[in-house]
């Protein structure tokens, strides 16, 4: 069974992340609204089927230019929130 989550992004060009997680902590899908369309579609495809914990470990702390966060970091933060709600 899967569960859907939506969270606002903070400090990035992207505005929101939609996440669908499976009970076994694998990512069914991720959609990021706004931001760099092609890059975020590519990241979403790479994350499909990955364990949430692995995705967080790979992306958390990534920055974008002078910003203290990035779209990948926001995905990681939102995955952490979703994992806590599973």
């Amino acid at each position: 069974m899967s569960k859907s989550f939506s969270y606002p992004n903070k400090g990035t060009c992207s505005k929101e992340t939609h996440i669908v997680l499976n009970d076994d902590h694998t990512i069914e899908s991720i959609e990021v609204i706004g931001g760099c369309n092609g890059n975020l579609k590519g990241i979403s495809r790479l994350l499909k089927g990955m364990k949430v914990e692995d995705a967080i470990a790979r992306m958390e702390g990534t920055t974008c230019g002078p910003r203290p966060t990035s779209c990948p970091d926001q995905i990681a933060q939102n995955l952490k929130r979703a994992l806590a709600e599973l």
Side-chain angles (χ1 to χ4, degrees):
M1 190 160 160
S2 60
K3 189 170 179 185
S4 299
F5 306 89
S6 289
Y7 302 107
N9 292 345
K10 299 174 185 167
T12 61
C13 299
S14 62
K15 302 298 178 202
E16 191 170 63
T17 303
H18 301 284
I19 300 167
V20 179
L21 299 181
N22 296 315
D23 290 338
D24 65 355
H25 293 194
T26 57
I27 298 167
E28 179 65 31
S29 68
I30 291 183
E31 179 187 14
V32 181
I33 307 303
C36 301
N37 189 283
N39 289 333
L40 292 168
K41 283 181 182 174
I43 290 170
S44 295
R45 287 181 182 177
L46 290 170
L47 293 176
K48 185 173 179 159
M50 186 181 287
K51 289 286 189 180
V52 172
E53 296 86 351
D54 293 337
I56 292 168
R58 290 178 184 211
M59 296 186 302
E60 187 173 35
T62 302
T63 59
C64 182
R67 297 176 182 161
T69 190
S70 65
C71 291
D73 181 60
Q74 287 298 296
I75 292 170
Q77 298 309 315
N78 291 331
L79 284 170
K80 287 169 72 173
R81 292 169 69 184
L83 190 57
E85 293 182 35
L86 259 185

